[in-house]
Amino acid sequence: MPGAETFRASADAYDRLVGRYSTQLASALIGFAGVELGMRALDVGCGPGALTAVLAERLGPEKVAAADPSEPFVEACRSRLPGVNVVVAGAEALPFPDGTFDATLSQLVVNFMRDPAAGVREMARVTRPGGIVASCVWDYAGEMTLLRAFWDAAREVAPERAAVADEGVVMRWCAEGELADLWRDAGLRDVRFGALVVSATYTGFEDLWSPFTTGIAPSGAFCDSLDENVRAALHDSLRRRLGVGDGSFELSARAWAASGVVPGSSEECE
Ligand SMILES: C[S@@+](CC[C@H](N)C(=O)[O-])C[C@H]1O[C@@H](n2cnc3c(N)ncnc32)[C@H](O)[C@@H]1O
């Protein structure tokens, strides 16, 4: 569970770092999972609520619930989405009865769970037989451009410390196909695996850099822990690697997604 505690932080900082990809990613995940009008859905590890918001817009707030262990994120999600039931809870112990939802989703969360196997089993428990469980995780080692470039720059300026913090190395369930194995091991059926590619725009390099200095997420926490001169070298290396300057630009990001069906008696009705 590297870094889960780094999300007990401001929703605004999260929105400016990784959250700027989250709404587009939410639409892609919902499409991949096959969430449809009329379904009841749960967002596990909702953060400030990007996926929750897209679910509420499509299904209606009364059909959507959300959970996250970070109190500031739950507060932000509640205030942004009145009418959605948002609870403080981790994936490993969801406070909902068996079979409550037609679809249980989580976005960019499985690799932060204390016990991912238990978390996915719990997501399946609160989903009805025949319902959907789906998640996605960043391709940290490959084509999540922002974070890959950040850790490559970090390995240049602080090699020893970055080697043991690089999310492309330390995060499990983020290599191609790995998430699907977790889904099968949790007993889910008809498991599908795929890539979701999204993008985000920046007004210039400082727009990209400033959220790292807030200490949010593992990358921000790493940045925050550096001496001033090493942090300045990281800033310059990242800018050079991305090849961007003061003008606006766009970066793409790839996430791996897995989806499966909860086994049980109503499967035949699907
Ligand atoms: C990268 S953020 C993703 C937030 C949101 N889903 C999004 O797509 O923007 C990771 C989230 O996982 C949450 N988290 C950490 N440990 C968790 C756990 N055991 N169960 C559920 N969520 C957890 C964090 O609090 C944080 O909100």
Side-chain angles (χ1 to χ4, degrees):
M1 184 225 25
E5 70 290 347
T6 64
F7 294 106
R8 295 184 199 281
S10 110
D12 174 64
Y14 180 78
D15 288 344
R16 291 189 294 120
L17 182 63
V18 179
R20 69 174 89 205
Y21 297 85
S22 292
T23 300
Q24 226 184 78
L25 190 61
S27 292
L29 179 62
I30 287 168
F32 177 80
V35 175
E36 289 170 359
L37 199 63
M39 286 183 169
R40 277 185 58 78
L42 172 66
D43 178 7
V44 175
C46 60
L51 172 59
T52 321
V54 181
L55 288 169
E57 191 185 299
R58 301 207 185 166
L59 307 177
E62 70 289 351
K63 295 271 196 181
V64 178
D68 198 289
S70 163
E71 287 174 12
F73 281 2
V74 164
E75 273 313 306
C77 189
R78 274 187 191 140
S79 71
R80 289 173 184 187
L81 298 166
V84 174
N85 177 22
V86 190
V87 298
V88 177
E92 297 85 354
L94 294 168
F96 302 102
D98 294 2
T100 305
F101 301 98
D102 302 296
T104 301
L105 271 51
S106 75
Q107 176 166 291
L108 309 176
V109 174
V110 172
N111 50 299
F112 291 109
M113 289 179 189
R114 187 171 30 80
D115 182 345
V120 178
R121 277 200 307 272
E122 186 69 346
M123 288 173 70
R125 179 190 67 75
V126 300
T127 310
R128 69 166 171 82
I132 302 159
V133 176
S135 293
C136 63
V137 291
W138 286 132
D139 176 14
Y140 291 102
E143 295 185 27
M144 195 316 173
T145 309
L146 171 71
L147 294 176
R148 190 62 261 139
F150 175 88
W151 289 112
D152 287 344
R155 292 181 82 128
E156 179 190 325
V157 301
E160 284 181 18
R161 292 185 53 196
V164 293
D166 180 347
E167 291 170 286
V169 175
V170 300
M171 291 299 185
R172 286 198 67 197
W173 320 113
C174 300
E176 187 170 1
E178 216 180 354
L179 203 58
D181 292 338
L182 185 63
W183 255 231
R184 286 187 202 96
D185 291 348
L188 291 157
R189 304 254 175 89
D190 302 330
V191 173
R192 291 182 301 112
F193 179 78
L196 309 178
V197 179
V198 295
S199 64
T201 54
Y202 297 87
T203 57
F205 180 74
E206 297 309 321
D207 182 30
L208 176 146
W209 173 255
S210 62
F212 284 116
T213 64
T214 65
I216 187 100
S219 52
F222 180 85
C223 184
D224 197 37
S225 73
L226 298 173
D227 292 342
E228 204 176 319
N229 57 335
V230 183
R231 191 159 51 244
L234 177 61
H235 168 281
D236 294 350
S237 171
L238 179 56
R239 184 174 168 129
R240 193 182 66 251
R241 283 168 184 278
L242 289 170
V244 298
D246 296 336
S248 63
F249 60 90
E250 184 175 300
L251 296 182
S252 68
R254 178 166 69 185
W256 300 120
S259 171
V261 173
V262 176
S265 55
S266 60
E267 228 175 338
E268 295 73 32
C269 309
E270 294 310 295

